[in-house]
Amino acid sequence: MATKGVILIGGPSKAPKPLLPIGGKPMIWHPLAALARIPELTEVFIVGFYEDALMTDFIRGAKREFPKLSISYLREYRSLGTAGGLYHFRDSLLPNLGMLFVLNADICSSFPLAELMDMHQKHRGVGTMMGVTVPKETATRYGCIVHDPASAQVLHYVEKPEKWISSLINGGVYLFDKSFFDEVKAAMDTKEKHAAEDPFGERDDILRLEQDVLVPLAAGRKLFVYESKDFWRQIKRAGSAVPASALYLNHFTKTNPKLLTAPSKEGGGPTIIAPVYIDPSAEVDPSAKIGPNVSLGANVVVAPGARVRDAIIMEGTTIDKHACVQNSIVGKHCKIGPWGRVDGAPEDPMDTKNNLNITILATEVTVAKETCIVLPNKTLNRSAHDQVLL
Ligand code: GTP
């Protein structure tokens, strides 16, 4: 009996979110690396509806990095919902299946899969989900879990309730037994039955893991929750990528500092304020200052006197001399001119509305020298010369 993993990546936006660099790695690398740490797990399916070609390079690289894993991309012909793809591809997932991890790609987490598995093996439920505690004011944005703390059994699950019912929410990480597929099939049958009873109703073939499968599983007392106390956040919008990246960089400092080796000042490198990820092919002038919470992608060039902090700089971008970039995401192959300034506002930890004021430059944007100022909350997708962008 094999343990397998699924990563749900959704689809399609022009720039595939699962490949956005977070903590110096594509977003989807983090759940994949977590699955690779489970000794008995050898098969991973990435399920989404992006074009196959978009995933090819990532999967090729991932197979080299995690040679024990067989990794395949299962492409839905269109959005089938968070459980629809699992149902649609059941013939690929079911053979010899023991347990199945299902991981959302759009979260930032330490993915405590071994602990989740440990707990799953101690009860007789169909599934175990990872729960995380969020501030009471934000809880209704998520799937909320009411559970029995003694047994960890989920008593009630409500996706985005109108009123607060619990601050323990669905963290988007699950482990299911094979019998989970019976529950998915039952949910599909219920949906089809309702559709048959209401011939004029709206039709779709979307099956939602949360509302259509977890709700009845909880009602049938077949679902348990593992409470993670570790870091967690959702990466819904591109703006949440900078704080998520900071969380991963901090995590790597403690768990895998080798991933973060940067040239030292003593060795002739730039001034680094950790944590920072610098791709080995990036060129950073010794008089530049980088960090904290910065990731510099492949072939990024940072010129003399430049300053970068709280930022994701994607591959091929040049930051010219004395330019300053902070609280921003700079897309691939951008050029920030000399003395240019790309400036977002830092995250407000007390902000419960999730307002992020990150500045985002799309691919191949040029910010001309000196005179260009980009103010917070802007997405710039064209070149700007001698303008103040309000
Ligand atoms: P909201 O409900 O939008 O607040 O977000 P959520 O993160 O709770 O759930 P959502 O259903 O949007 O996504 C959970 C994960 O499933 C994410 O990683 C999505 O990219 C992915 N996902 C969403 N819809 C689909 C789908 O139709 N097919 C596949 N394969 N993945 C999906």
Side-chain angles (χ1 to χ4, degrees), residues 127-369:
T128 305
M129 69 201 296
M130 183 180 84
V132 288
T133 302
V134 297
K136 188 172 180 182
E137 300 74 31
T138 65
T140 55
R141 278 193 231 146
Y142 306 99
C144 293
I145 302 165
V146 178
H147 74 303
D148 169 14
S151 65
Q153 195 169 41
V154 178
L155 305 174
H156 194 43
Y157 179 81
V158 189
E159 188 66 25
K160 300 188 184 68
E162 277 178 27
K163 289 207 184 92
W164 180 89
I165 57 162
S166 163
S167 295
L168 185 66
I169 61 116
N170 176 359
V173 175
Y174 316 88
L175 180 58
F176 296 113
D177 281 356
K178 188 175 185 172
S179 61
F180 164 72
F181 282 89
D182 302 335
E183 309 288 336
V184 175
K185 169 84 172 61
M188 198 54 135
D189 291 347
T190 307
K191 215 176 141 70
E192 278 165 8
K193 187 164 155 267
H194 287 159
E197 284 164 3
D198 180 8
F200 301 109
E202 225 176 89
R203 269 164 205 267
D204 62 49
D205 47 4
I206 282 187
L207 193 68
R208 299 159 305 176
L209 179 59
E210 302 81 359
Q211 294 93 326
D212 299 329
V213 185
L214 297 184
V215 170
L217 265 181
R221 299 287 189 269
K222 297 174 188 168
L223 187 63
F224 288 74
V225 59
Y226 165 77
E227 287 185 65
S228 168
K229 303 286 178 211
D230 221 341
F231 70 92
W232 181 90
R233 77 173 291 151
Q234 229 176 1
I235 316 173
K236 269 273 163 251
R237 292 174 295 148
S240 34
V242 172
S245 191
L247 286 174
Y248 275 135
L249 291 172
N250 267 307
H251 179 61
F252 289 151
T253 310
K254 292 175 225 140
T255 58
N256 198 350
K258 266 198 296 196
L259 279 177
L260 301 179
T261 42
S264 69
K265 187 81 190 151
E266 300 74 54
T271 302
I272 300 284
I273 305 168
V276 158
Y277 169 81
I278 299 181
D279 187 275
S281 64
E283 270 177 50
V284 185
D285 188 88
S287 64
K289 191 169 173 184
I290 312 288
N293 306 326
V294 168
S295 87
L296 303 182
N299 304 311
V300 163
V301 176
V302 183
R307 175 77 178 101
V308 188
R309 59 171 302 164
D310 296 290
I312 296 172
I313 313 294
M314 289 166 60
E315 65 183 66
T317 281
T318 299
I319 299 175
D320 219 326
K321 52 182 187 265
H322 304 293
C324 172
V325 180
Q326 55 182 351
N327 301 306
S328 301
I329 301 172
V330 181
K332 293 180 185 176
H333 308 290
C334 291
K335 290 194 188 331
I336 313 297
W339 298 94
R341 201 178 161 102
V342 179
D343 215 348
E347 188 185 25
D348 174 2
M350 296 313 288
D351 172 28
T352 52
K353 297 204 175 63
N354 212 7
N355 287 326
L356 287 167
N357 293 324
I358 298 293
T359 296
I360 302 165
L361 302 192
T363 304
E364 291 181 25
V365 172
T366 299
V367 175
K369 68 173 187 182

Side-chain angles (χ1 to χ4, degrees), residues 1-4 40 42-43 95-100:
M1 288 293 206
T3 303
K4 305 185 187 184
E40 59 270 47
T42 52
E43 227 176 325
N96 195 32
L97 180 69
M99 286 183 281
L100 182 72

